Amino acid sequence: MRPRTWVLVLAAVFAVLQLANVTGRDTPDSKNYVSYALALGGAQPREAAVRTIAWVCAGQASKAARAQSVDVVRFHAPSPAGRVAARCRRDELRRVEHRSAAGRTGGHVVPFVGARLRAIFEVRPGYPVFLLPFVTVFGVTWGVWLASVLVTVAGGVLVFLVLRTLSVPVPLALTGQALYYLLPVGTTAMRPMTEGLMLALTLTAVWGCALALTGRAGTVRTGTVLVAGALAALFAVKHAQALFLGGCLAGAGAAVALARRRRGRAAGSGVVAIAAAGGAAVAGTLLLARLLHYPSEAESMQDLLTGHYARPDRLRPWPEFLHLEWDFWVEWLRRQLLSPVFPAALAAGAWGARRRPAFGAFLLAAAGTGILTQAGHPDIAIGGDRLIVLAWLLPVVGVPLLLDALLSRVAPVPAQGSLDEVSGAGLPEAHSMR
């Protein structure tokens, strides 16, 4: 089969497997994004609240029924689904109606949470806009599921494109796509939150870096456009990620240019273009966030230290934040050493990335945004490595690079086709699976 067919087969298998969990993937933040999408579609606040709550409560009921079915004591009892759904709908509607009666309305997000916390979700329209056509056409349940599947599938395809741009053989590029689906990246991307779209856009920027580093005028231009476009889109999805990724890419570009100049080489037009796009993203993000009156980092810190504003604001937040930061990473490292899969995967990915020094620097920069995101929210109670998930991009892309280097020592690798095949119409078709 052609490479394009193999890519589609992997994507289709992944999508079919996700039918096992159509509901029950939501998190406490998901209802804010879904109600935002419904409001953008013209739903009135009451309608948006009822439809979102029905979706959330159906997920809770489904999880409760599945949990009881395997409970060694209560597996033979009647299903609790109806009772759980009714209680969930009653409690959620009561909270929304209480806040609405108190005048705590405004914006697109239904008042599931307080005004200060809701303001953080109001400045993230990108994911609700992405959800909008799906929930409009297919309804909330299937629309959210389909949107999650498509954005996760797109992330895997982007991994394939990145690796093929680097002339990695097709089987190893498919390995990278499969790793994206199998590792926690795929699980997190499937959740109805911003992470799936953030991962896809970050990988778009990484693909742009790979194209720009070829040095050809056409691919440098295309790669730079991809990097700049991804950074602009990230501002709408989660502007902190646009700031982190822009800064990290600019720093990586400066490091690569400095290293090349020390060796007597030119920095390269691609490196300069990527660094310039990253720097422009940092400046643009800071300026727009100030002009649009987005919540500041101080507000985010108060959200963290007060348990989502459930307690009074901290008078001296920075010392407390730094204290918590130190304690968090000590505890995080201790937990990682109990099951060091993640550190080992990072090490393997970094070892593979060093085989392509310039590209490896930009890959490390993109993956490093996961560390920065986690550092900005040192909350050990947030499970599943959701905040640090972008760091998994390092093994997803780096491990196939490592395997390519190892296999090339064992047997000669057939010459790969030109990069024009990848940067042209889409996926390359000329390579065999050998």
Side-chain angles (χ1 to χ4, degrees):
M1 291 191 293
R2 294 177 176 179
R4 177 181 298 174
T5 306
W6 282 106
V7 169
L8 295 177
V9 166
L10 275 180
V13 169
F14 173 79
V16 169
L17 293 176
Q18 303 316 302
L19 288 169
N21 293 279
V22 177
T23 59
R25 295 179 188 267
D26 59 286
T27 70
D29 293 346
S30 298
K31 54 180 176 280
N32 298 294
Y33 295 115
V34 171
S35 67
Y36 197 152
L38 293 172
L40 291 175
Q44 295 300 310
R46 173 74 181 183
E47 179 191 354
V50 169
R51 292 178 64 186
T52 302
I53 289 171
W55 170 69
V56 169
C57 294
Q60 290 193 13
S62 176
K63 288 189 288 187
R66 293 197 300 266
Q68 179 171 299
S69 69
V70 291
D71 189 294
V72 295
V73 176
R74 298 182 298 115
F75 65 90
H76 47 69
S79 172
R83 183 176 68 257
V84 170
R87 183 175 64 248
C88 172
R89 287 194 297 267
R90 183 183 64 248
D91 294 346
E92 290 287 351
L93 276 173
R94 182 186 298 134
R95 280 191 287 267
V96 170
E97 290 170 350
H98 174 73
R99 291 192 175 96
S100 298
R104 301 172 188 173
T105 57
H108 296 90
V109 179
V110 170
F112 293 111
V113 293
R116 290 176 71 183
L117 183 56
R118 199 162 68 249
I120 294 176
F121 295 101
E122 291 283 356
V123 300
R124 298 175 183 175
Y127 182 61
V129 169
F130 172 73
L131 280 180
L132 176 58
F134 296 97
V135 298
T136 301
V137 175
F138 300 100
V140 176
T141 298
W142 286 103
V144 171
W145 178 86
L146 184 57
S148 300
V149 168
L150 290 180
V151 79
T152 308
V153 163
V157 173
L158 284 165
V159 172
F160 179 87
L161 289 169
V162 169
L163 291 168
R164 291 299 291 132
T165 302
L166 298 172
S167 296
V168 172
V170 170
L172 294 181
L174 291 170
T175 300
Q177 181 186 359
L179 286 174
Y180 187 88
Y181 298 148
L182 294 172
L183 291 175
V185 196
T187 303
T188 303
M190 277 297 300
R191 291 174 181 163
M193 297 185 68
T194 57
E195 277 74 21
L197 199 51
M198 282 170 49
L199 283 160
L201 290 171
T202 302
L203 278 168
T204 301
V206 172
W207 184 29
C209 293
L211 288 169
L213 290 173
T214 63
R216 301 178 184 178
T219 53
V220 169
R221 187 163 49 249
T222 301
T224 305
V225 169
L226 285 173
V227 172
L231 289 168
L234 278 169
F235 180 85
V237 176
K238 193 174 183 181
H239 69 281
Q241 176 62 13
L243 180 66
F244 291 157
L245 183 59
C248 287
L249 291 180
V256 171
L258 180 61
R260 286 181 172 181
R261 289 194 177 279
R262 284 181 175 177
R263 296 186 180 93
R265 298 172 54 194
S269 58
V271 173
V272 173
I274 296 169
V282 171
T285 298
L286 292 173
L287 179 61
L288 280 175
R290 180 66 62 87
L291 291 175
L292 296 173
H293 304 289
Y294 277 14
S296 65
E297 65 279 358
E299 190 71 7
S300 178
M301 194 182 306
Q302 291 291 354
D303 171 43
L304 171 75
L305 295 175
T306 60
H308 299 310
Y309 308 111
R311 298 174 180 81
D313 282 7
R314 304 293 192 182
L315 297 178
R316 300 175 64 247
W318 274 107
E320 293 188 40
F321 177 80
L322 294 176
H323 186 173
L324 176 63
E325 189 81 53
W326 172 262
D327 290 347
F328 170 85
W329 287 110
V330 170
E331 175 61 15
W332 182 88
L333 182 60
R334 186 193 67 80
R335 296 188 183 191
Q336 293 302 313
L337 293 177
L338 288 173
S339 179
V341 175
F342 185 38
L346 289 178
W351 192 258
R354 67 187 289 273
R355 306 295 300 180
R356 306 285 204 285
F359 172 78
F362 290 110
L363 177 60
L364 282 168
T369 60
I371 306 296
L372 291 176
T373 301
Q374 183 69 81
H377 302 80
D379 186 352
I380 205 71
I382 298 179
D385 292 330
R386 177 173 67 83
L387 295 175
I388 206 171
V389 68
L390 284 153
W392 279 100
L393 295 182
L394 182 57
V396 165
V397 178
V399 167
L401 291 174
L402 178 60
L403 293 174
D404 184 29
L406 294 175
L407 292 176
S408 65
R409 295 180 182 180
V410 177
V413 177
Q416 302 299 315
S418 69
L419 293 174
D420 294 335
E421 299 174 53
V422 177
S423 58
L427 300 178
E429 296 185 12
H431 300 298
S432 70
M433 282 298 297
R434 291 188 299 110

